[in-house]
Amino acid sequence: MNRFNVRKVAVLGAGVMGAQIAAHLVNVKVPVVLFDLPAKEGPKNGIVTRAIENLKKLKPSPIGVAADADLIAAANYEEHMDLLGECDLVIEAIAERMDWKLDLYGKIAPHVAAHAIVASNTSGLSITKLSEALPESIKPRFCGIHFFNPPRYMTLVELIPTPTTQPEILDQLETFVTSGLGKGVVRAKDTPNFIANRIGIAGMLATMKEVENFGLTFDVVDDLTGKRLGRASSGTFRTADVVGLDTMDHVIKTLQDNLSAETDPFYASFGTPPVLKALLEKGHLGQKTKAGFYKKVGRDVMRFELESGDYVPAGQKADEVYGRMLKKPAGERLKLLRNSTGAQGQFLWAILRNSFHYAAVHLATIADTARDVDQAMRWGFGMKQGPFELWQEAGWLEVAKMIQEDIDAGKALSKAPLPEWVFKGPVVESNGGAGGVHTAQGSWNPAKGVFEPRRELPVYQRQAFPELLLGEAGPRFADAGTTIEETDSIRLWTLDNEVLIASIKTKMHAISPEVCEGLMQAVELAESQYQGLVIWSGDEPFSVGADLQAMLPAFMAVGVVAIEDAEGFMQQTMLRLRYASVPVISAIRGMALGGGCELAVYSSKRVAHMESYIGLVEVGVGLIPGAGGLTYISRRAAENAATSTGKDLLPFLTEGFTAAAMAKVGTSAIESRSIGYLLESDLIVPHKDELLFVALNEAKAMFRAGYRPPHKRLFPVAGRDGKATVMGQLVNMRDGGFISQHDFHIASLIANVVTGGDVDPGTLVNEDYLMTLERQAFCALITHPKTQERILGMLNTGKPVRN
């Protein structure tokens, strides 16, 4: 099969979704043209240019660096239809109106390239009906593509074929969306709202119905249905506010308009909830209008109360007894909830039972396999487990009997019985008699009556450790490959006997002295037996930095000398990584903070997932970067200045000094590159599960190209003149009340290190010299009472103390 090369994409429609899809294409370096109607007044591209400007203001940002929004090319349907011929993929994302979409298809059809894939981003309209407006030449290259909002952050993309869609077109698009955009693809059947919204919105409606039944408040329900239940931390009603109540209403109407009591036995539950109707009438659409189920008044969060039609103080929490129940093993947990006498426990059992019931009844009609449902709910609704996974973990047959008993007793939302396959045949006999829909052979396909394995597209060979569902077979990174050395803190292992992998095992992958010992050993092994070393720990975060808690006992027993020794050892570890004779690659996913950032910048190269958050944050606990972070900033400033005709080092220091002094963290790998924690030569990978593949191949390529470490060079520093300039600015900030006296003290120490201390401007120094200044400042701060307040506050509450 020829490779589907996406050189340029056209996005039709500059609304919320269209503009943000275009933004994410820019994030992954795909050229994109954003189309909309010609403006009635002013420049004809006015609608698109306003949408592009709006992208720069949105929070969370849909784009890695706001200025990159300008890379989106603006176009309109009157003047620029010829640009469609340059595009390999056309994504239509206009409003959810069948008539508007069909009219647009008629206009674009003559201009679409003969090889291009055309896809409609719709949350529930029939893809087959949409395809009927297209000429026969385009129908085989047309399908549905459903991004979830916001497209940058949400993993799920549903692909929906029509009867005339060529299978290879879906394979090509799935490959691009997976590797090129970093998404998790689920193929859905062409049914109303497809998979995730069908299950998810039905679940939200059922939840609202049970809230009425049990008389609970929105804040208590959100406390129960958030992280405690293994779902998105925003719970039910905050999630609805984020999604938008108008969007939710549209998806509900799609269910109401396209289903009936004959086609969906749960149809009676699809009425628009009275509270949603009341909010929509008031124009309260959620986060976008700053009022929905919740609104913020000053610093106070208020919740809507249907009875009074007004907002009342929020903040109620669930009864902790149910919090304890939710921590029990799955089987015990469901029994406790079902048998509980309190409203909150009964409510929790009811919404879980309803989700199991609905998913089982509709599996055969909406999806090919149970895997598609569970992955869709994980990726589209932020669930830790999909409904079938939880059911299977709790005991398949026992839970099935409890559900059916409730159906028979009239407690469920529908009288529809569970499908026959739930109670007998392969599903009950699977997993050694434990039962379940996910097995080592695959996931249950009720239409075929078999356990179907995952699709084996070449793109998935790039994922050594894909995200597995409960019961699925597949490699787990914790024990995969060949272990070379392992302690409680770090595992050194290899997948291919060519590159060594170091996986940190500590909590949050914090860097302890034992981790440093392991990394030192890893370099020794890599230099003698392997082509390179990759630092990759399998899951998030990359590392939250030095393990301060592990250092405290030694500090209490021995004093500051213990801290100085530990910091010195961390610094030597960083230098050992930098000057290793084989390439050292940091594969970064999630947070790389403090010592984690230092670990990254002292590697030969970095391979970072798009959603990586990198920064030196030590000032938050009253310290300075002490494992070489400030030395890195000073050295990089000198290297960058060497490429300039100017002699002044200070302009090249400003960004790095400010980032360290303000604990600035890049909000994406792209922004981290603009701060300087990633270089232009580093790689940003869209899909988190491809990080290891790319890092291993990068290490091999560098080794085979004859990699040699950098020379240990002397470099100039800004000296006392540069420090004096910085100090002047800090005095103004302190005296203006922008920073506290202790912040001023810490920033002064940072300035002293990055400028090289009390030396002449241009003095040549080495890394050891600056690291000594770092270490001295770090140790001076750790004995400071205000720093100790900050450290203890962070350890006790997880939040920074401002003093």
Side-chain angles (χ1 to χ4, degrees):
M1 183 173 67
N2 291 331
R3 184 170 72 92
F4 176 52
N5 185 15
V6 182
R7 293 159 294 191
K8 185 182 287 187
V9 175
V11 177
L12 312 182
V16 173
M17 284 301 289
Q20 292 199 46
I21 291 168
H24 189 58
L25 286 161
V26 167
N27 288 336
V28 295
K29 293 190 172 181
V30 175
V32 58
V33 185
L34 181 60
F35 281 81
D36 212 303
L37 295 166
K40 292 178 181 177
E41 296 178 0
K44 289 194 175 179
N45 283 340
I47 293 172
V48 176
T49 53
R50 283 193 295 274
I52 292 170
E53 284 304 308
N54 191 51
L55 288 172
K56 301 174 185 178
K57 304 170 189 172
L58 292 178
K59 299 293 179 187
S61 176
I63 201 154
V65 176
D68 283 355
D70 295 329
L71 297 174
I72 300 170
N76 65 79
Y77 303 126
E78 185 178 302
E79 298 176 308
H80 305 117
M81 292 295 250
D82 57 309
L83 294 178
L84 288 172
E86 301 174 5
C87 298
D88 306 292
L89 173 62
V90 178
I91 299 174
E92 171 271 303
I94 69 170
E96 295 281 284
R97 283 274 301 267
M98 178 73 74
D99 54 340
W100 291 359
K101 289 178 184 281
L102 296 178
D103 179 64
L104 180 60
Y105 292 176
K107 292 176 180 175
I108 68 166
H111 305 280
V112 172
H115 69 282
I117 294 175
V118 180
S120 174
N121 180 70
T122 173
S123 59
L125 295 179
S126 169
I127 303 302
T128 302
K129 285 184 180 177
L130 288 172
S131 73
E132 290 169 1
L134 292 166
E136 293 301 316
S137 60
I138 294 180
K139 282 183 181 179
R141 295 179 278 121
F142 177 77
C143 65
I145 183 169
H146 182 208
F147 287 85
F148 273 63
N149 191 25
R152 170 183 161 185
Y153 300 97
M154 297 302 290
T155 302
L156 180 62
V157 169
E158 293 174 314
L159 296 184
I160 310 98
T162 74
T164 55
T165 306
Q166 289 180 349
E168 59 265 31
I169 291 296
L170 281 182
D171 290 349
Q172 290 171 348
L173 191 54
E174 180 167 347
T175 296
F176 170 68
V177 170
T178 301
S179 193
L181 302 185
K183 299 302 174 188
V185 172
V186 166
R187 295 194 188 181
K189 293 185 179 180
D190 191 10
T191 54
N193 289 345
F194 313 127
I195 298 174
N197 274 345
R198 179 70 175 273
I199 299 285
I201 296 300
M204 291 181 87
L205 287 170
T207 298
M208 291 182 188
K209 203 169 184 67
E210 299 295 1
V211 167
E212 291 176 37
N213 292 343
F214 291 101
L216 303 179
T217 60
F218 304 143
D219 42 6
V220 167
V221 170
D222 280 349
D223 190 36
L224 287 169
T225 60
K227 283 189 175 179
R228 293 175 187 262
L229 204 60
R231 298 183 179 181
S233 57
S234 50
T236 301
F237 295 100
R238 282 190 180 85
T239 298
D241 277 352
V242 171
V243 169
L245 304 192
D246 52 342
T247 302
M248 187 176 171
D249 184 53
H250 168 77
V251 178
I252 292 169
K253 280 189 166 59
T254 302
L255 291 177
Q256 294 168 345
D257 295 344
N258 294 284
L259 296 170
S260 65
E262 289 71 38
T263 57
D264 193 317
F266 295 80
Y267 188 75
S269 302
F270 293 162
T272 304
V275 64
L276 180 59
K277 195 176 291 183
L279 287 167
L280 290 169
E281 286 171 357
K282 290 174 178 287
H284 295 178
L285 308 181
Q287 190 169 277
K288 67 182 78 172
T289 60
K290 299 185 179 178
F293 288 105
Y294 298 94
K295 78 170 180 178
K296 206 167 181 183
V297 179
R299 294 188 176 183
D300 298 323
V301 176
M302 314 289 281
R303 63 173 167 82
F304 185 70
E305 187 180 67
L306 182 60
E307 295 76 15
S308 65
D310 206 350
Y311 287 86
V312 299
Q316 282 185 288
K317 297 291 183 182
D319 190 325
E320 197 47 48
V321 68
Y322 300 108
R324 291 194 293 272
M325 284 185 189
L326 290 172
K327 291 179 181 177
K328 300 286 186 183
E332 185 181 350
R333 183 192 324 157
L334 295 191
K335 286 179 194 170
L336 285 169
L337 293 173
R338 188 175 187 239
N339 296 327
S340 65
T341 54
Q344 294 178 26
Q346 283 291 305
F347 162 78
L348 284 168
W349 162 249
I351 64 170
L352 291 171
R353 175 203 63 215
N354 294 341
S355 70
F356 301 152
H357 187 192
Y358 194 85
V361 166
H362 289 293
L363 173 59
T365 56
I366 67 173
D368 289 332
T369 70
R371 181 192 309 107
D372 297 323
V373 169
D374 281 347
Q375 285 182 325
M377 299 314 293
R378 277 187 178 211
W379 295 337
F381 279 79
M383 292 186 176
K384 188 177 179 183
Q385 291 179 304
F388 289 119
E389 282 185 282
L390 176 56
W391 180 351
Q392 181 168 325
E393 185 184 9
W396 184 265
L397 197 54
E398 195 167 4
V399 173
K401 288 174 180 175
M402 293 195 299
I403 299 167
Q404 191 59 52
E405 284 172 13
D406 278 15
I407 296 168
D408 296 339
K411 295 179 180 178
L413 292 178
S414 167
K415 294 178 182 177
L418 290 172
E420 190 175 308
W421 56 261
V422 170
F423 289 104
K424 59 184 180 181
V427 169
V428 176
E429 297 160 6
S430 68
N431 296 311
V437 291
H438 304 305
T439 70
Q441 294 74 43
S443 292
W444 181 246
N445 183 324
K448 295 180 180 177
V450 298
F451 293 104
E452 194 168 284
R454 292 180 174 225
R455 282 186 299 282
E456 293 187 354
L457 295 179
V459 69
Y460 293 119
Q461 294 172 13
R462 296 168 61 89
Q463 300 180 13
F465 303 100
E467 190 176 317
L468 297 176
L469 303 177
L470 179 83
E472 279 195 295
R476 315 269 172 171
F477 69 84
D479 55 10
T482 304
T483 299
I484 309 302
E485 296 286 346
E486 187 167 14
T487 68
D488 290 340
S489 300
I490 194 167
R491 179 181 179 229
L492 309 182
W493 59 289
T494 182
L495 268 178
D496 55 11
N497 293 318
E498 294 184 323
V499 177
L500 188 66
I501 303 167
S503 295
I504 302 171
K505 295 167 55 181
T506 52
K507 184 179 180 182
M508 302 291 280
H509 303 143
I511 303 170
S512 63
E514 292 74 22
V515 169
C516 288
E517 287 174 9
L519 290 172
M520 286 283 208
Q521 184 182 14
V523 174
E524 294 289 336
L525 283 167
E527 287 181 326
S528 62
Q529 300 177 39
Y530 297 93
Q531 296 180 20
L533 170 64
V534 168
I535 302 170
W536 175 86
S537 300
D539 53 8
E540 296 185 29
F542 176 71
S543 173
V544 294
D547 190 346
L548 289 175
Q549 207 156 5
M551 292 183 188
L552 285 180
F555 174 56
M556 299 301 289
V558 181
V560 75
V561 67
I563 298 297
E564 187 166 8
D565 288 346
E567 282 301 299
F569 189 39
M570 279 189 72
Q571 291 176 339
Q572 291 310 305
T573 302
M574 301 304 168
L575 291 175
R576 187 73 181 90
L577 295 173
R578 173 168 165 76
Y579 295 109
S581 63
V582 292
V584 176
I585 312 292
S586 279
I588 306 164
R589 172 183 164 198
M591 294 182 292
L593 305 179
C597 176
E598 290 166 318
L599 190 61
V601 300
Y602 275 87
S603 299
S604 315
K605 196 163 194 175
R606 288 136 296 275
V607 173
H609 178 231
M610 168 72 186
E611 297 307 323
S612 295
Y613 309 99
I614 306 173
L616 297 169
V617 296
E618 285 84 352
V619 297
V621 288
L623 294 169
I624 69 163
L630 300 183
T631 300
Y632 166 80
I633 288 170
S634 186
R635 176 175 56 77
R636 282 294 299 162
E639 289 169 352
N640 289 334
T643 65
S644 167
T645 55
K647 299 296 183 185
D648 187 4
L649 275 170
L650 203 56
F652 298 94
L653 267 178
T654 302
E655 181 76 45
F657 166 78
T658 304
M662 304 298 289
K664 185 175 181 181
V665 175
T667 57
S668 66
I670 299 169
E671 187 177 30
S672 295
R673 178 180 274 161
S674 70
I675 297 171
Y677 296 138
L678 295 180
L679 307 182
E680 284 299 323
S681 56
D682 293 330
L683 302 177
I684 296 176
V685 179
H687 202 295
K688 62 182 176 59
D689 293 337
E690 292 186 2
L691 263 183
L692 182 60
F693 172 87
V694 176
L696 291 172
N697 279 284
E698 192 65 21
K700 292 175 196 173
M702 291 171 71
F703 177 85
R704 291 166 187 173
Y707 175 80
R708 300 296 298 175
H711 285 292
K712 294 183 179 181
R713 295 180 183 275
L714 297 176
F715 51 90
V717 289
R720 63 178 71 88
D721 291 0
K723 180 182 175 182
T725 302
V726 175
M727 292 301 296
Q729 295 168 347
L730 291 175
V731 167
N732 290 337
M733 292 181 71
R734 180 197 61 193
D735 294 349
F738 297 104
I739 57 175
S740 70
Q741 177 60 37
H742 195 48
D743 290 327
F744 173 80
H745 178 54
I746 297 166
S748 302
L749 293 175
I750 292 174
N752 186 63
V753 177
V754 298
T755 59
D758 189 18
V759 297
D760 293 333
T763 298
L764 297 177
V765 302
N766 60 20
E767 288 164 310
D768 287 324
Y769 167 79
L770 290 178
M771 283 184 170
T772 299
L773 294 182
E774 265 189 45
R775 199 164 60 249
Q776 290 169 348
F778 188 94
C779 292
L781 281 169
I782 207 149
T783 60
H784 197 294
K786 288 193 177 292
T787 286
Q788 291 177 358
E789 280 179 29
R790 291 191 183 187
I791 293 172
L792 291 173
M794 181 64 76
L795 292 176
N796 290 331
T797 68
K799 296 178 181 177
V801 173
R802 306 315 304 173
N803 57 4

